[in-house]
Protein backbone atom coordinates (compact mmCIF):
# COMPACT_ATOMS: atom_id res chain seq x y z
CA UNK A 1 0.00 0.00 0.00
CA UNK A 2 2.83 2.37 0.83
CA UNK A 3 4.38 1.79 -2.63
CA UNK A 4 1.11 2.84 -4.29
CA UNK A 5 1.00 6.07 -2.26
CA UNK A 6 4.65 6.87 -3.06
CA UNK A 7 4.12 6.12 -6.76
CA UNK A 8 0.95 8.20 -6.75
CA UNK A 9 2.76 11.14 -5.16
CA UNK A 10 5.65 10.76 -7.59
CA UNK A 11 3.18 10.76 -10.49
CA UNK A 12 1.54 13.96 -9.14
CA UNK A 13 4.90 15.70 -8.77
CA UNK A 14 5.88 14.79 -12.33
CA UNK A 15 2.50 15.89 -13.65
CA UNK A 16 2.79 19.27 -11.90
CA UNK A 17 6.36 19.82 -13.07
CA UNK A 18 5.46 19.08 -16.70
CA UNK A 19 2.36 21.24 -16.60
CA UNK A 20 4.36 24.20 -15.31
CA UNK A 21 6.24 24.36 -18.65
CA UNK A 22 4.49 26.44 -21.24
CA UNK A 23 4.23 24.00 -24.12
CA UNK A 24 1.74 26.26 -25.87
CA UNK A 25 4.28 29.02 -26.48
CA UNK A 26 4.01 29.09 -30.25
CA UNK A 27 5.86 32.33 -30.84
CA UNK A 28 8.56 31.81 -33.43
CA UNK A 29 12.19 32.63 -32.77
CA UNK A 30 13.10 32.73 -36.47
CA UNK A 31 11.86 33.79 -39.89
CA UNK A 32 12.79 32.84 -43.43
CA UNK A 33 14.52 35.27 -45.77
CA UNK A 34 15.99 35.39 -49.24
CA UNK A 35 19.76 35.57 -49.58
CA UNK A 36 21.57 37.37 -52.39
CA UNK A 37 23.43 35.31 -54.98
CA UNK A 38 26.90 36.61 -55.81
CA UNK A 39 27.93 34.03 -58.42
CA UNK A 40 26.88 30.72 -59.94
CA UNK A 41 29.01 28.06 -61.60
CA UNK A 42 27.38 26.35 -64.55
CA UNK A 43 28.91 24.35 -67.40
CA UNK A 44 29.20 25.83 -70.89
CA UNK A 45 26.73 23.24 -72.16
CA UNK A 46 24.49 20.40 -70.99
CA UNK A 47 23.85 16.96 -72.41
CA UNK A 48 20.32 15.56 -72.43
CA UNK A 49 19.48 13.13 -69.58
CA UNK A 50 22.62 14.00 -67.61
CA UNK A 51 22.88 15.40 -64.07
CA UNK A 52 24.99 18.39 -63.08
CA UNK A 53 26.01 19.95 -59.79
CA UNK A 54 25.30 23.67 -59.85
CA UNK A 55 27.38 25.64 -57.34
CA UNK A 56 25.95 28.90 -56.07
CA UNK A 57 27.83 31.51 -54.04
CA UNK A 58 25.54 33.57 -51.81
CA UNK A 59 26.01 36.28 -49.20
CA UNK A 60 25.49 35.37 -45.52
CA UNK A 61 24.88 38.79 -43.95
CA UNK A 62 25.29 37.97 -40.25
CA UNK A 63 25.89 35.24 -37.67
CA UNK A 64 22.15 34.77 -37.05
CA UNK A 65 21.39 33.81 -40.67
CA UNK A 66 21.75 30.22 -41.85
CA UNK A 67 21.34 28.44 -45.19
CA UNK A 68 18.11 26.43 -45.52
CA UNK A 69 18.05 25.48 -49.19
CA UNK A 70 17.01 26.57 -52.65
CA UNK A 71 13.66 27.58 -54.04
CA UNK A 72 13.63 26.71 -57.74
CA UNK A 73 10.65 28.06 -59.66
CA UNK A 74 9.92 26.75 -63.17
CA UNK A 75 8.10 29.47 -65.13
CA UNK A 76 8.65 27.63 -68.44
CA UNK A 77 10.02 24.34 -69.74
CA UNK A 78 13.65 25.47 -69.82
CA UNK A 79 13.70 28.43 -67.45
CA UNK A 80 14.65 28.16 -63.76
CA UNK A 81 14.42 30.99 -61.24
CA UNK A 82 16.68 30.11 -58.32
CA UNK A 83 16.46 31.77 -54.91
CA UNK A 84 18.65 30.95 -51.91
CA UNK A 85 16.56 30.64 -48.73
CA UNK A 86 17.93 31.30 -45.27
CA UNK A 87 16.56 31.37 -41.74
CA UNK A 88 17.23 34.23 -39.33
CA UNK A 89 17.12 33.57 -35.59
CA UNK A 90 15.45 36.53 -33.93
CA UNK A 91 16.05 35.75 -30.24
CA UNK A 92 19.82 36.18 -30.44
CA UNK A 93 20.74 39.80 -29.78
CA UNK A 94 24.43 39.12 -30.34
CA UNK A 95 24.40 38.85 -34.13
CA UNK A 96 27.61 39.97 -35.76
CA UNK A 97 27.77 41.37 -39.27
CA UNK A 98 29.65 38.98 -41.57
CA UNK A 99 29.06 39.72 -45.25
CA UNK A 100 30.51 36.24 -45.76
CA UNK A 101 30.38 34.54 -49.16
CA UNK A 102 29.29 30.91 -48.84
CA UNK A 103 29.03 28.18 -51.50
CA UNK A 104 26.12 25.73 -51.68
CA UNK A 105 25.07 23.43 -54.50
CA UNK A 106 22.11 21.57 -55.95
CA UNK A 107 21.72 18.79 -58.50
CA UNK A 108 20.13 19.60 -61.84
CA UNK A 109 18.78 16.99 -64.28
CA UNK A 110 18.60 17.95 -67.95
CA UNK A 111 15.32 16.64 -69.34
CA UNK A 112 14.59 19.03 -72.22
CA UNK A 113 16.44 20.03 -75.38
CA UNK A 114 17.08 23.63 -76.35
CA UNK A 115 18.68 26.23 -74.11
CA UNK A 116 18.14 26.50 -70.37
CA UNK A 117 17.95 29.93 -68.77
CA UNK A 118 18.87 30.20 -65.10
CA UNK A 119 17.95 33.38 -63.24
CA UNK A 120 19.53 33.68 -59.77
CA UNK A 121 18.00 36.15 -57.31
CA UNK A 122 20.55 38.84 -56.38
CA UNK A 123 18.38 41.13 -54.26
CA UNK A 124 16.07 44.10 -54.62
CA UNK A 125 16.80 47.32 -56.46
CA UNK A 126 16.01 50.85 -55.20
CA UNK A 127 12.40 50.44 -56.34
CA UNK A 128 11.95 47.20 -54.44
CA UNK A 129 11.98 45.14 -57.65
CA UNK A 130 13.73 41.75 -57.73
CA UNK A 131 17.02 41.63 -59.62
CA UNK A 132 18.57 38.53 -61.15
CA UNK A 133 21.86 37.24 -62.50
CA UNK A 134 21.12 35.34 -65.71
CA UNK A 135 22.95 32.41 -67.32
CA UNK A 136 22.05 30.52 -70.49
CA UNK A 137 23.26 26.98 -71.10
CA UNK A 138 22.53 25.16 -74.36
CA UNK A 139 21.79 21.45 -74.49
CA UNK A 140 24.10 19.86 -77.07
CA UNK A 141 23.99 16.47 -78.68
CA UNK A 142 26.25 13.84 -77.28
CA UNK A 143 29.53 13.54 -79.17
CA UNK A 144 30.96 10.06 -79.67
Amino acid sequence: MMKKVVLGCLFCVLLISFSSCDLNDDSQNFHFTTLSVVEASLPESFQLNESYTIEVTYLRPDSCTFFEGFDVAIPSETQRNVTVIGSVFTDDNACTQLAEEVVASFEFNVIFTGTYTFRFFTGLDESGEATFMEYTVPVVEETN
Side-chain angles (χ1 to χ4, degrees), residues 47-131:
Q47 288 188 355
L48 188 62
N49 300 319
E50 294 293 323
S51 294
Y52 296 86
T53 301
I54 308 295
E55 288 188 346
V56 178
T57 303
Y58 66 91
L59 189 63
R60 181 180 178 209
D62 57 48
S63 62
C64 293
T65 303
F66 298 91
F67 175 78
E68 291 298 327
F70 293 96
D71 177 36
V72 181
I74 306 172
S76 68
E77 194 173 80
T78 58
Q79 182 177 338
R80 303 295 184 266
N81 293 343
V82 181
T83 305
V84 178
I85 303 298
S87 59
V88 180
F89 289 99
T90 56
D91 61 354
D92 187 357
N93 295 329
C95 296
T96 56
Q97 294 297 316
L98 294 175
E100 173 184 43
E101 291 186 3
V102 182
V103 177
S105 63
F106 64 93
E107 290 297 312
F108 179 70
N109 298 316
V110 180
I111 58 173
F112 298 108
T113 58
T115 298
Y116 279 88
T117 301
F118 289 85
R119 298 177 68 220
F120 294 91
F121 177 79
T122 58
L124 301 174
D125 65 14
E126 306 81 37
S127 305
E129 297 292 318
T131 59

Side-chain angles (χ1 to χ4, degrees), residues 7-64:
L7 287 175
C9 288
L10 183 59
F11 177 75
C12 287
V13 169
L14 288 173
L15 183 62
I16 290 170
S17 67
F18 282 125
S19 65
S20 66
C21 297
D22 187 4
L23 298 176
N24 293 324
D25 182 13
D26 49 351
S27 61
Q28 293 182 343
N29 66 345
F30 73 96
H31 65 273
F32 292 108
T33 188
T34 56
L35 300 174
S36 298
V37 172
V38 176
E39 182 181 5
S41 177
L42 288 94
E44 289 185 23
S45 63
F46 290 139
Q47 288 188 355
L48 188 62
N49 300 319
E50 294 293 323
S51 294
Y52 296 86
T53 301
I54 308 295
E55 288 188 346
V56 178
T57 303
Y58 66 91
L59 189 63
R60 181 180 178 209
D62 57 48
S63 62
C64 293

Side-chain angles (χ1 to χ4, degrees), residues 47 50 140-144:
Q47 288 188 355
E50 294 293 323
V140 297
E141 292 186 32
E142 188 175 338
T143 56
N144 290 330

